[in-house]
Amino acid sequence: MIEVDHLTKYFGDRLALDDVSFRVESGKVTGFLGPNGAGKTTTMRLILGLDRPTSGMALIDGRALQDYTDPLCQVGALLDAKFAHPRRTAFNHLVTVATTHGIPTSRVREVLSQAGLEAVAAERVGKFSLGMTQRLGIATALLGSPRALILDEPINGLDVDGVRWFRGLCRDLADSGVAVFLSSHLMSEVELVADRVIVLGRGRVLQDAPLGHFRRGTSTFEVITEQAVEFVGALSERGAAVTIIDERTCTVTGLSAKEIGVLALKTGTVLEGLEETSRSLEDSYRELTDDHVEYRAGESSAASGS
Ligand SMILES: Nc1ncnc2c1ncn2[C@@H]1O[C@H](COP(=O)(O)OP(=O)(O)OP(=O)(O)O)[C@@H](O)[C@H]1O
């Protein structure tokens, strides 16, 4: 398990992380979402001991990563897509990392197979597409059979096959007890693989919940009735948010289907239609982070403090 405990990080006078705490549990895939500049990479670097926090700490199964003698067997990481020397072959890159960490070459063949890179093992890394480079980065992270995996934007550059492969890999690793922690700025990527989602905005945790929680918050119902005018009044009085579509149709959020049905019964409203029309998870994630976006198209510099 990865424990992040009250991490705060300043770069000069710039506050990048503000008292961030969460857990990444073993046996689960945890998505780490947030807009550009939210602090995802900074958090991952602090967990890996690549930067020092201003305050707080990050622990892997109760100890800082630097305190382990076999860090590669504790945490495998992919932070930078340009991690390998471009003139090395994929095989040689993996062998170099393996031998410097006392890992046998047989493990290199295993991770090449896991990453679907056997056919290109003898090719130079410099010729790899972004997707192949991501696969090699993930293979490298897997070398030490680690108990936790930290992957920064791993889906970036993967094609449809690659995403399917990655989803299966994450599931298998989590099922074998690994704590999988992966970042993205897109909910559409994270919802494919994650059990739990942590949303970061401007250095703060905005949400930390199972994926299903995001789905629950997105239920909208389309209601069709000849008595729409009266029923809209009753729905609003009951605290629902109602949008009138036409004289017979409205959409309702904030109530369950059962609550809408009971209200219709009580008010003598004949419902001709009651259908759930969920918004996408991406919509609810955008809504959550909208006030915390640091960089937007058309803005020349980062907004601050608002
Ligand atoms: N070495 C550094 N020096 C100064 N500021 C930094 C440094 N690294 C990160 N920052 C700042 O810290 C904040 C968080 O950056 P970080 O890269 O962690 O965000 P992120 O969520 O990973 O974003 P992205 O999705 O764009 O990679 C940003 O405002 C960034 O400019």
Coordinates of all heavy atoms in Angstrom, one line a residue, residues 82-157:
K82 N 10.8 9.4 -22.1 CA 12.2 9.3 -22.7 C 13.2 8.8 -21.7 O 14.2 9.3 -21.5 CB 12.6 10.8 -23.1 CG 11.7 11.4 -24.1 CD 12.3 12.7 -24.7 CE 11.3 13.6 -25.4 NZ 10.4 14.3 -24.5
F83 N 12.8 7.7 -21.1 CA 13.6 7.1 -20.1 C 14.8 6.2 -20.6 O 15.7 6.0 -19.9 CB 12.7 6.2 -19.2 CG 12.0 5.2 -20.0 CD1 12.6 3.9 -20.3 CD2 10.8 5.5 -20.5 CE1 11.9 3.0 -21.1 CE2 10.1 4.6 -21.3 CZ 10.6 3.3 -21.6
A84 N 14.7 5.8 -21.9 CA 15.7 4.9 -22.4 C 16.7 5.5 -23.4 O 16.3 6.4 -24.1 CB 15.0 3.7 -23.0
H85 N 17.9 5.0 -23.5 CA 18.9 5.5 -24.5 C 18.4 5.1 -25.8 O 18.1 3.9 -26.1 CB 20.2 5.0 -24.2 CG 21.3 5.7 -24.9 ND1 21.4 5.6 -26.3 CD2 22.3 6.5 -24.5 CE1 22.4 6.3 -26.7 NE2 23.0 6.9 -25.6
P86 N 18.2 6.1 -26.8 CA 17.6 5.8 -28.1 C 18.4 4.8 -28.9 O 17.8 4.1 -29.8 CB 17.5 7.2 -28.8 CG 18.5 8.1 -28.0 CD 18.6 7.5 -26.6
R87 N 19.7 4.6 -28.7 CA 20.5 3.7 -29.5 C 20.5 2.3 -29.0 O 21.0 1.4 -29.6 CB 22.0 4.3 -29.6 CG 22.0 5.6 -30.5 CD 23.4 6.1 -30.5 NE 24.3 5.3 -31.3 CZ 24.4 5.2 -32.6 NH1 23.6 6.0 -33.3 NH2 25.2 4.4 -33.2
R88 N 20.0 2.1 -27.7 CA 19.9 0.8 -27.2 C 18.7 0.0 -27.7 O 17.7 0.7 -28.0 CB 19.7 0.9 -25.6 CG 21.0 1.1 -24.9 CD 21.0 0.4 -23.5 NE 22.2 0.7 -22.9 CZ 22.4 1.5 -21.9 NH1 21.3 2.0 -21.3 NH2 23.6 1.8 -21.4
T89 N 18.8 -1.3 -27.9 CA 17.6 -2.1 -28.2 C 16.8 -2.2 -26.9 O 17.3 -2.0 -25.8 CB 18.0 -3.5 -28.7 OG1 18.6 -4.2 -27.6 CG2 19.0 -3.4 -29.9
A90 N 15.5 -2.6 -27.2 CA 14.6 -2.7 -26.0 C 15.2 -3.8 -25.1 O 15.2 -3.6 -23.9 CB 13.2 -3.2 -26.5
F91 N 15.7 -4.9 -25.7 CA 16.2 -6.0 -24.9 C 17.4 -5.5 -24.0 O 17.5 -5.7 -22.8 CB 16.7 -7.1 -25.8 CG 17.2 -8.3 -25.0 CD1 16.3 -9.2 -24.4 CD2 18.5 -8.6 -24.9 CE1 16.8 -10.3 -23.7 CE2 19.0 -9.7 -24.2 CZ 18.1 -10.6 -23.6
N92 N 18.3 -4.8 -24.7 CA 19.5 -4.3 -24.0 C 19.2 -3.3 -22.9 O 19.8 -3.2 -21.8 CB 20.5 -3.6 -25.0 CG 21.3 -4.7 -25.7 OD1 21.3 -5.9 -25.3 ND2 21.9 -4.4 -26.8
H93 N 18.2 -2.4 -23.2 CA 17.7 -1.5 -22.2 C 17.3 -2.2 -20.9 O 17.7 -1.9 -19.8 CB 16.6 -0.6 -22.7 CG 15.8 0.0 -21.6 ND1 16.3 1.1 -20.9 CD2 14.6 -0.3 -21.1 CE1 15.4 1.5 -20.0 NE2 14.3 0.6 -20.1
L94 N 16.4 -3.3 -21.1 CA 15.9 -4.0 -20.0 C 17.0 -4.8 -19.3 O 17.0 -4.8 -18.0 CB 14.8 -5.0 -20.5 CG 13.5 -4.3 -20.9 CD1 12.6 -5.2 -21.6 CD2 12.8 -3.7 -19.7
V95 N 17.9 -5.4 -20.0 CA 19.0 -6.1 -19.4 C 19.9 -5.2 -18.6 O 20.3 -5.5 -17.4 CB 19.9 -6.8 -20.5 CG1 21.2 -7.3 -19.9 CG2 19.1 -8.0 -21.1
T96 N 20.1 -4.0 -19.1 CA 21.0 -3.0 -18.3 C 20.3 -2.7 -17.0 O 21.0 -2.7 -15.9 CB 21.1 -1.7 -19.1 OG1 21.6 -2.0 -20.4 CG2 22.1 -0.7 -18.5
V97 N 19.0 -2.4 -17.0 CA 18.3 -2.1 -15.8 C 18.3 -3.3 -14.8 O 18.6 -3.2 -13.6 CB 16.9 -1.6 -16.0 CG1 16.1 -1.3 -14.7 CG2 16.9 -0.4 -16.9
A98 N 18.1 -4.5 -15.4 CA 18.0 -5.7 -14.6 C 19.3 -6.0 -13.9 O 19.3 -6.2 -12.7 CB 17.6 -6.9 -15.5
T99 N 20.4 -6.0 -14.7 CA 21.7 -6.3 -14.1 C 22.1 -5.4 -13.0 O 22.7 -5.8 -12.0 CB 22.8 -6.5 -15.2 OG1 22.7 -5.4 -16.1 CG2 22.8 -7.8 -15.9
T100 N 21.8 -4.1 -13.2 CA 22.2 -3.1 -12.1 C 21.4 -3.3 -10.9 O 21.7 -2.7 -9.8 CB 22.1 -1.6 -12.6 OG1 20.8 -1.5 -13.2 CG2 23.1 -1.3 -13.6
H101 N 20.3 -4.1 -10.9 CA 19.5 -4.3 -9.8 C 19.4 -5.8 -9.4 O 18.6 -6.2 -8.6 CB 18.0 -3.8 -10.0 CG 17.9 -2.3 -10.1 ND1 18.2 -1.6 -11.2 CD2 17.6 -1.4 -9.1 CE1 18.0 -0.3 -11.0 NE2 17.7 -0.2 -9.7
G102 N 20.4 -6.6 -9.9 CA 20.5 -8.0 -9.5 C 19.3 -8.8 -9.9 O 18.9 -9.8 -9.3
I103 N 18.6 -8.4 -11.0 CA 17.5 -9.2 -11.5 C 17.9 -10.1 -12.7 O 18.6 -9.6 -13.6 CB 16.4 -8.2 -12.0 CG1 15.9 -7.4 -10.8 CG2 15.2 -8.9 -12.7 CD1 15.0 -6.1 -11.2
P104 N 17.5 -11.4 -12.7 CA 18.0 -12.3 -13.8 C 17.5 -11.9 -15.1 O 16.3 -11.4 -15.3 CB 17.5 -13.6 -13.3 CG 16.4 -13.4 -12.4 CD 16.7 -12.0 -11.7
T105 N 18.2 -12.3 -16.2 CA 17.8 -12.0 -17.6 C 16.5 -12.7 -17.9 O 15.8 -12.2 -18.8 CB 18.9 -12.4 -18.6 OG1 20.1 -11.8 -18.1 CG2 18.7 -11.9 -20.0
S106 N 16.3 -13.8 -17.3 CA 15.0 -14.6 -17.6 C 13.8 -13.6 -17.3 O 12.8 -13.7 -18.0 CB 14.9 -15.8 -16.7 OG 15.0 -15.5 -15.3
R107 N 13.9 -12.8 -16.4 CA 12.8 -11.8 -16.1 C 12.6 -10.8 -17.2 O 11.5 -10.4 -17.5 CB 13.1 -11.1 -14.7 CG 12.1 -10.1 -14.3 CD 10.8 -10.8 -13.8 NE 9.8 -9.8 -13.6 CZ 8.5 -9.9 -13.9 NH1 8.0 -11.0 -14.4 NH2 7.6 -8.9 -13.6
V108 N 13.7 -10.5 -17.9 CA 13.6 -9.6 -19.0 C 12.7 -10.2 -20.1 O 11.8 -9.5 -20.6 CB 15.0 -9.3 -19.6 CG1 14.9 -8.6 -21.0 CG2 15.9 -8.4 -18.6
R109 N 12.9 -11.5 -20.4 CA 12.1 -12.1 -21.4 C 10.6 -12.1 -20.9 O 9.7 -12.0 -21.7 CB 12.6 -13.6 -21.6 CG 13.9 -13.6 -22.3 CD 14.4 -15.0 -22.7 NE 15.8 -15.1 -22.7 CZ 16.6 -14.5 -23.5 NH1 16.1 -13.8 -24.5 NH2 17.9 -14.6 -23.4
E110 N 10.4 -12.3 -19.6 CA 9.0 -12.4 -19.1 C 8.3 -11.0 -19.4 O 7.2 -10.9 -19.8 CB 9.0 -12.7 -17.6 CG 9.2 -14.1 -17.3 CD 9.3 -14.4 -15.8 OE1 9.0 -13.5 -15.0 OE2 9.8 -15.5 -15.5
V111 N 9.0 -9.9 -19.0 CA 8.4 -8.6 -19.1 C 8.2 -8.2 -20.6 O 7.2 -7.5 -20.9 CB 9.1 -7.5 -18.3 CG1 9.0 -7.8 -16.8 CG2 10.5 -7.2 -18.7
L112 N 9.1 -8.6 -21.4 CA 9.0 -8.3 -22.9 C 7.7 -9.0 -23.4 O 6.9 -8.4 -24.1 CB 10.2 -8.9 -23.6 CG 11.4 -8.0 -23.7 CD1 12.6 -8.7 -24.3 CD2 11.1 -6.7 -24.5
S113 N 7.5 -10.2 -22.9 CA 6.3 -10.9 -23.3 C 5.0 -10.3 -22.7 O 4.0 -10.1 -23.4 CB 6.4 -12.4 -22.9 OG 5.2 -13.0 -22.7
Q114 N 5.1 -9.9 -21.4 CA 4.0 -9.2 -20.8 C 3.6 -7.9 -21.5 O 2.4 -7.6 -21.6 CB 4.3 -8.9 -19.3 CG 3.7 -9.8 -18.3 CD 4.1 -9.3 -16.9 OE1 5.3 -9.2 -16.6 NE2 3.1 -9.2 -16.0
A115 N 4.6 -7.3 -22.0 CA 4.3 -6.0 -22.7 C 4.1 -6.1 -24.2 O 3.8 -5.1 -24.9 CB 5.5 -5.0 -22.5
G116 N 4.1 -7.4 -24.7 CA 3.8 -7.6 -26.1 C 4.9 -7.0 -27.0 O 4.7 -6.6 -28.1
L117 N 6.2 -7.0 -26.5 CA 7.3 -6.4 -27.2 C 8.3 -7.4 -27.7 O 9.3 -7.0 -28.2 CB 8.0 -5.4 -26.3 CG 7.3 -4.1 -26.0 CD1 8.1 -3.3 -25.0 CD2 7.0 -3.3 -27.3
E118 N 8.0 -8.7 -27.6 CA 8.9 -9.8 -28.0 C 9.4 -9.5 -29.5 O 10.6 -9.6 -29.8 CB 8.3 -11.1 -27.9 CG 8.3 -11.6 -26.5 CD 7.2 -12.7 -26.3 OE1 6.1 -12.5 -26.8 OE2 7.6 -13.8 -25.8
A119 N 8.5 -9.2 -30.4 CA 8.8 -9.1 -31.8 C 9.8 -7.9 -32.1 O 10.4 -8.0 -33.1 CB 7.5 -9.0 -32.6
V120 N 9.8 -6.9 -31.2 CA 10.6 -5.8 -31.5 C 11.7 -5.6 -30.5 O 12.4 -4.6 -30.4 CB 9.8 -4.5 -31.5 CG1 8.8 -4.4 -32.7 CG2 9.0 -4.3 -30.2
A121 N 12.0 -6.7 -29.7 CA 13.0 -6.7 -28.7 C 14.4 -6.3 -29.2 O 15.2 -5.6 -28.5 CB 13.1 -8.0 -28.0
A122 N 14.7 -6.6 -30.4 CA 16.0 -6.3 -31.0 C 16.1 -5.0 -31.7 O 17.1 -4.6 -32.2 CB 16.4 -7.4 -31.9
E123 N 15.0 -4.2 -31.7 CA 15.0 -2.9 -32.3 C 15.4 -1.8 -31.4 O 15.2 -1.9 -30.2 CB 13.6 -2.6 -32.9 CG 13.3 -3.5 -34.1 CD 12.0 -3.1 -34.8 OE1 11.5 -1.9 -34.5 OE2 11.4 -3.9 -35.5
R124 N 16.0 -0.8 -32.0 CA 16.5 0.3 -31.2 C 15.3 1.2 -30.7 O 14.3 1.4 -31.4 CB 17.4 1.3 -32.0 CG 18.7 0.6 -32.2 CD 19.7 1.6 -32.8 NE 21.0 0.9 -32.9 CZ 22.0 1.3 -33.7 NH1 21.9 2.4 -34.3 NH2 23.1 0.6 -33.7
V125 N 15.4 1.6 -29.4 CA 14.3 2.3 -28.8 C 14.0 3.6 -29.5 O 12.9 4.1 -29.5 CB 14.7 2.6 -27.3 CG1 13.7 3.4 -26.6 CG2 15.0 1.2 -26.6
G126 N 15.1 4.2 -30.1 CA 14.9 5.5 -30.8 C 13.9 5.4 -31.9 O 13.3 6.4 -32.3
K127 N 13.7 4.2 -32.4 CA 12.7 4.0 -33.6 C 11.3 3.7 -33.1 O 10.4 3.6 -33.9 CB 13.2 2.9 -34.5 CG 14.5 3.2 -35.2 CD 14.8 2.1 -36.2 CE 16.0 2.4 -37.0 NZ 16.5 1.2 -37.7
F128 N 11.1 3.6 -31.8 CA 9.8 3.2 -31.3 C 8.8 4.3 -31.4 O 9.2 5.5 -31.2 CB 9.9 2.8 -29.8 CG 10.4 1.4 -29.6 CD1 10.9 0.6 -30.6 CD2 10.2 0.8 -28.3 CE1 11.3 -0.7 -30.4 CE2 10.6 -0.5 -28.1 CZ 11.2 -1.3 -29.1
S129 N 7.5 3.9 -31.6 CA 6.4 4.9 -31.5 C 6.2 5.2 -30.0 O 6.7 4.5 -29.2 CB 5.2 4.3 -32.1 OG 4.8 3.2 -31.3
L130 N 5.4 6.3 -29.8 CA 5.1 6.6 -28.4 C 4.5 5.4 -27.7 O 4.8 5.1 -26.5 CB 4.2 7.9 -28.3 CG 3.8 8.3 -26.9 CD1 5.0 8.6 -26.0 CD2 2.9 9.5 -27.0
G131 N 3.5 4.7 -28.4 CA 2.9 3.6 -27.7 C 3.8 2.5 -27.4 O 3.8 1.9 -26.3
M132 N 4.8 2.2 -28.3 CA 5.8 1.1 -28.0 C 6.7 1.6 -26.9 O 7.1 0.8 -26.0 CB 6.6 0.8 -29.2 CG 5.8 0.0 -30.3 SD 6.5 0.2 -31.9 CE 8.0 -0.8 -31.8
T133 N 7.0 2.9 -26.8 CA 7.9 3.4 -25.8 C 7.2 3.3 -24.4 O 7.8 2.9 -23.4 CB 8.2 4.9 -26.1 OG1 8.7 5.0 -27.4 CG2 9.3 5.4 -25.1
Q134 N 5.8 3.6 -24.4 CA 5.1 3.4 -23.2 C 5.1 2.0 -22.7 O 5.3 1.7 -21.6 CB 3.6 3.9 -23.4 CG 3.4 5.3 -23.7 CD 3.6 6.2 -22.4 OE1 4.8 6.3 -22.0 NE2 2.6 6.8 -22.0
R135 N 4.9 1.0 -23.7 CA 5.0 -0.4 -23.3 C 6.3 -0.8 -22.7 O 6.4 -1.5 -21.8 CB 4.7 -1.2 -24.6 CG 3.2 -1.3 -25.0 CD 3.1 -2.1 -26.3 NE 1.7 -2.2 -26.8 CZ 1.0 -3.3 -26.8 NH1 1.4 -4.4 -26.3 NH2 -0.3 -3.2 -27.3
L136 N 7.4 -0.2 -23.3 CA 8.7 -0.5 -22.8 C 8.9 0.1 -21.4 O 9.5 -0.6 -20.5 CB 9.8 0.0 -23.8 CG 11.2 -0.3 -23.3 CD1 11.5 -1.8 -23.3 CD2 12.2 0.4 -24.3
G137 N 8.4 1.3 -21.2 CA 8.4 1.9 -19.9 C 7.7 1.0 -18.9 O 8.2 0.9 -17.7
I138 N 6.5 0.5 -19.2 CA 5.8 -0.3 -18.3 C 6.5 -1.6 -18.1 O 6.6 -2.1 -16.9 CB 4.3 -0.5 -18.8 CG1 3.6 0.8 -18.9 CG2 3.6 -1.6 -18.0 CD1 2.3 0.8 -19.7
A139 N 7.1 -2.2 -19.1 CA 7.9 -3.4 -19.0 C 9.1 -3.2 -18.0 O 9.4 -4.0 -17.1 CB 8.5 -3.9 -20.3
T140 N 9.7 -2.0 -18.1 CA 10.8 -1.7 -17.2 C 10.3 -1.6 -15.8 O 11.0 -2.1 -14.8 CB 11.4 -0.3 -17.6 OG1 11.7 -0.3 -19.0 CG2 12.7 -0.1 -16.9
A141 N 9.1 -1.0 -15.6 CA 8.6 -0.8 -14.3 C 8.2 -2.2 -13.6 O 8.3 -2.3 -12.4 CB 7.3 0.0 -14.3
L142 N 7.9 -3.2 -14.5 CA 7.6 -4.5 -14.0 C 8.7 -5.4 -13.7 O 8.6 -6.5 -13.0 CB 6.7 -5.2 -15.0 CG 5.3 -4.6 -15.3 CD1 4.6 -5.3 -16.5 CD2 4.4 -4.8 -14.0
L143 N 10.0 -5.0 -14.1 CA 11.1 -5.9 -14.0 C 11.3 -6.5 -12.6 O 11.6 -7.6 -12.4 CB 12.4 -5.1 -14.3 CG 12.9 -5.1 -15.8 CD1 14.2 -4.3 -15.9 CD2 13.2 -6.6 -16.2
G144 N 11.2 -5.6 -11.6 CA 11.4 -6.1 -10.2 C 10.3 -6.8 -9.6 O 10.3 -7.0 -8.3
S145 N 9.2 -7.2 -10.3 CA 8.0 -7.8 -9.8 C 7.5 -7.0 -8.6 O 7.3 -7.5 -7.5 CB 8.2 -9.2 -9.4 OG 8.7 -9.9 -10.5
P146 N 7.3 -5.6 -8.8 CA 7.1 -4.8 -7.6 C 5.7 -5.0 -7.0 O 4.8 -5.5 -7.6 CB 7.2 -3.4 -8.2 CG 6.8 -3.5 -9.6 CD 7.3 -4.9 -10.0
R147 N 5.6 -4.5 -5.7 CA 4.3 -4.6 -5.0 C 3.4 -3.4 -5.3 O 2.3 -3.4 -5.0 CB 4.6 -4.7 -3.5 CG 5.3 -6.0 -3.1 CD 5.3 -6.2 -1.7 NE 6.2 -5.3 -1.0 CZ 6.3 -5.2 0.3 NH1 5.5 -5.9 1.1 NH2 7.2 -4.4 0.9
A148 N 4.1 -2.3 -5.9 CA 3.3 -1.2 -6.2 C 3.8 -0.6 -7.6 O 5.0 -0.8 -7.9 CB 3.4 -0.1 -5.2
L149 N 2.9 -0.1 -8.4 CA 3.3 0.4 -9.7 C 2.8 1.9 -9.7 O 1.7 2.2 -9.4 CB 2.6 -0.3 -10.8 CG 3.3 -1.4 -11.6 CD1 2.3 -1.8 -12.7 CD2 4.6 -1.0 -12.1
I150 N 3.7 2.8 -10.1 CA 3.4 4.2 -10.3 C 3.6 4.6 -11.7 O 4.7 4.6 -12.2 CB 4.2 5.1 -9.3 CG1 3.9 4.7 -7.9 CG2 4.0 6.6 -9.6 CD1 4.6 5.5 -6.8
L151 N 2.5 4.9 -12.4 CA 2.6 5.2 -13.9 C 2.0 6.6 -14.2 O 0.8 6.8 -14.0 CB 1.9 4.1 -14.6 CG 2.2 2.6 -14.3 CD1 1.3 1.6 -14.9 CD2 3.7 2.3 -14.7
D152 N 2.9 7.4 -14.7 CA 2.4 8.8 -15.0 C 2.0 8.8 -16.5 O 2.8 8.6 -17.4 CB 3.6 9.8 -14.8 CG 3.1 11.2 -14.7 OD1 1.9 11.5 -14.6 OD2 4.0 12.1 -14.6
E153 N 0.7 9.1 -16.7 CA 0.1 9.1 -18.1 C 0.5 7.9 -18.9 O 0.9 8.0 -20.1 CB 0.6 10.4 -18.8 CG 0.2 11.7 -18.1 CD -1.2 12.2 -18.4 OE1 -1.9 11.6 -19.3 OE2 -1.6 13.2 -17.8
P154 N 0.2 6.7 -18.4 CA 0.7 5.5 -19.2 C -0.1 5.2 -20.4 O 0.3 4.5 -21.3 CB 0.5 4.3 -18.2 CG -0.6 4.8 -17.3 CD -0.4 6.3 -17.1
I155 N -1.4 5.8 -20.5 CA -2.2 5.4 -21.6 C -2.0 6.4 -22.8 O -2.3 6.1 -23.9 CB -3.7 5.5 -21.2 CG1 -3.9 4.5 -20.0 CG2 -4.7 5.2 -22.3 CD1 -5.3 4.5 -19.4
N156 N -1.3 7.5 -22.5 CA -0.9 8.4 -23.5 C -0.1 7.8 -24.7 O 0.9 7.2 -24.4 CB -0.1 9.5 -22.9 CG 0.2 10.7 -23.8 OD1 -0.4 10.8 -24.8 ND2 1.2 11.4 -23.5
G157 N -0.7 7.8 -25.9 CA 0.1 7.2 -27.0 C -0.3 5.8 -27.3 O 0.1 5.2 -28.4

